Amino acid sequence: MTEAYIYDACRTPRGKGRPDGSLHEVTSVALSARLLNAVKARNGLEGHVVEDVIWGNVTQVGEQGGCLARSAVLLSDLDERIPGLAINRFCASGMEAVNLAANQVKAGAGQAYIAGGVEMMGRVAMGSDGAAIAVDPSLAMKTYFVPQGISADIIATEYGFTREQADALAVESQRRAAEAWAENRFAKSIVPVRDQNGLVILDHDEFMRPQTTMESLGALKPSFKDMGEVMPGFDKVAMLKYPHLDHINHIHHAGNSSGIVDGAAAVLIGNKEFGIAHGLKPRARIRATAKIGTDPTIMLTGPVPVTEKILRDSGMSIRDIDLFEVNEAFAAVVLRFMQAFDVSPDKVNVNGGAMAFGHPLGATGAMIIGTVLDELERRDLSTGLATLCIASGMGAATIIERV
């Protein structure tokens, strides 16, 4: 089977997903098109040079609806003969776009793809597409649906994580993120966002709060306690599913959960012949990809079984992985991953994560693949694994290996 290589990985900075955020006036299609233009310019691509643009976005309604991928191609400087495919695997949409593209290349269905994703959470509200699992009683009752924040608190309760542990992880994420920016570790990947006049409107991740301390987090109220204990009483739903629990320990809040932000990311994937034809040097090969379904109520445990699956399928062990990117949707997700595999915190999210940067749903999966690649190169290491939990109970993972 043909190998699939990563030739480039880039992203926009993440903007605050609210009216005072720097990217609030930029539409989803415009941000996507600007990043596609960056991939074209960075790699000297001309003509019908890639087979397809596969683009993830989660809330596929309004300006993010109508096959956003194709719209972005048409707005960009790419050749109009390049089609576009919009996909949605919730929080792993950007990663699934990359994985799908890689597997298409491996199967011989085209020499190269641009894959990634976008989410403008400040412009298209999360949940505004009316997901059936949350709003259709016939499905919500069958699956014991609870909101993701409750799911995160169930994980904390089930696996014994305290608020202090979650807050400490959040403080460390902020510290690492600030250090990474201070040392310019993202320089290879960041594509500044410019306005119509060519002026830079955002060149850094603006959601970070490097002043965060245990004391400042300690002053925050749990975000999901009232919806769990009072109305609509989701704790009772959870305990119907998990009767061995006599309560839910609500430890998550705005400081130890991922932030609502805007952003986009892209990865250029191709076979060996594509690189030779265009004078490009591969940075890594995509060694393995995986996805899995999990319990839809606790919902966010996917990184553990999908990592077990991808390692098993590829004949690897956890010791073969040099660095991990585990999306920080909530602190308990990462705590559970490290607990399950006995992985050192020194190998996980070494430049911070979504608790510091925010989580632009459709883009994050592609972002963390680029992040782990950059860091493998910086440290002269070989192999990285990126993984995310996914709404409604799924997990996705990608293993890359430098070449």
Side-chain angles (χ1 to χ4, degrees):
M1 182 177 286
T2 302
E3 294 279 14
Y5 297 98
I6 296 176
Y7 285 95
D8 193 17
C10 59
R11 69 173 178 91
T12 68
R14 285 159 280 210
K16 296 176 183 177
R18 56 192 195 217
D20 65 344
S22 296
L23 299 184
H24 186 70
E25 300 302 321
V26 182
T27 65
S28 304
V29 67
L31 193 69
S32 301
R34 290 174 192 181
L35 200 56
L36 294 178
N37 287 344
V39 174
K40 177 182 178 180
R42 285 159 62 105
N43 298 281
L45 305 180
E46 295 294 339
H48 190 182
V49 69
V50 298
E51 185 75 14
D52 204 353
V53 170
I54 306 178
W55 212 239
N57 64 288
V58 174
T59 310
Q60 296 188 353
V61 66
E63 71 177 51
Q64 291 188 168
C67 192
L68 179 60
R70 177 58 175 165
S71 298
V73 170
L74 294 175
L75 185 60
S76 77
D77 297 331
L78 293 180
D79 193 299
E80 66 179 14
R81 291 172 293 175
I82 298 171
L85 171 64
I87 66 167
N88 182 359
R89 201 188 289 280
F90 293 127
C91 297
S93 296
M95 174 175 286
E96 188 61 32
V98 172
N99 291 353
L100 179 58
N103 289 324
Q104 293 274 69
V105 169
K106 289 181 179 182
Q111 286 198 339
Y113 289 73
I114 299 173
V118 67
E119 205 77 29
M120 302 300 285
M121 300 180 74
R123 296 179 59 89
V124 183
M126 180 170 55
S128 59
D129 52 346
I133 196 167
V135 303
D136 184 335
S138 65
L139 180 59
M141 294 176 70
K142 177 179 183 291
T143 57
Y144 296 89
F145 170 80
V146 299
Q148 287 190 17
I150 300 291
S151 298
D153 287 338
I154 296 171
I155 294 173
T157 306
E158 179 73 21
Y159 294 100
F161 304 127
T162 66
R163 164 124 179 201
E164 289 70 25
Q165 288 176 298
D167 285 359
L169 187 68
V171 170
E172 179 63 9
S173 180
Q174 296 283 355
R175 187 197 68 78
R176 292 180 179 188
E179 181 178 85
W181 269 103
E183 295 184 1
N184 216 23
R185 296 181 191 174
F186 304 125
K188 181 180 289 187
S189 296
I190 289 292
V191 175
V193 181
R194 299 177 183 272
D195 65 13
Q196 298 296 328
N197 299 313
L199 300 176
V200 173
I201 58 176
L202 187 64
D203 62 2
H204 65 282
D205 292 316
E206 68 175 348
F207 186 78
M208 296 186 300
R209 303 172 299 270
Q211 72 280 5
T212 299
T213 64
M214 290 293 288
E215 291 71 26
S216 65
L217 294 186
L220 299 177
K221 294 181 179 181
S223 296
F224 311 103
K225 183 178 175 68
D226 287 347
M227 73 169 65
E229 296 180 353
V230 186
M231 289 296 293
F234 284 110
D235 283 9
K236 295 295 186 182
V237 176
M239 287 185 281
L240 286 172
K241 179 71 175 286
Y242 313 113
H244 63 284
L245 299 178
D246 59 9
H247 75 289
I248 305 298
N249 185 20
H250 293 286
I251 71 166
H252 290 94
H253 50 73
N256 58 28
S257 306
S258 56
I260 293 175
V261 295
D262 304 325
V267 181
L268 177 61
I269 299 160
N271 59 20
K272 184 176 181 180
E273 291 72 24
F274 169 79
I276 293 171
H278 298 280
L280 300 174
K281 181 180 178 181
R283 297 172 63 189
R285 70 183 178 107
I286 297 183
R287 179 161 177 172
T289 68
K291 60 271 187 183
I292 200 167
T294 64
D295 180 340
T297 306
I298 201 167
M299 193 184 310
L300 307 175
T301 54
V304 173
V306 81
T307 296
E308 293 171 341
K309 182 178 189 298
I310 199 171
L311 293 173
R312 182 174 63 250
D313 290 352
S314 57
M316 301 175 71
S317 78
I318 202 74
R319 294 181 298 277
D320 295 322
I321 308 299
D322 296 312
L323 292 176
F324 300 86
E325 284 289 322
V326 183
N327 186 40
E328 293 176 351
F330 299 90
V333 173
V334 183
L335 291 170
R336 172 57 187 149
F337 183 90
M338 293 189 294
Q339 178 192 67
F341 295 107
D342 192 24
V343 173
S344 168
D346 294 337
K347 293 185 175 183
V348 180
N349 301 342
V350 296
N351 290 322
M355 289 186 290
F357 296 126
H359 173 22
L361 306 177
T364 300
M367 285 183 172
I368 63 175
I369 290 172
T371 297
V372 76
L373 174 55
D374 283 346
E375 191 62 18
L376 288 171
E377 291 175 341
R378 192 180 76 86
R379 297 186 180 209
D380 195 22
L381 297 174
S382 174
T383 306
L385 182 149
T387 184
L388 304 92
C389 61
I390 308 173
S392 78
M394 293 183 282
T398 307
I399 294 176
I400 66 171
E401 183 178 64
R402 288 179 60 209
V403 293

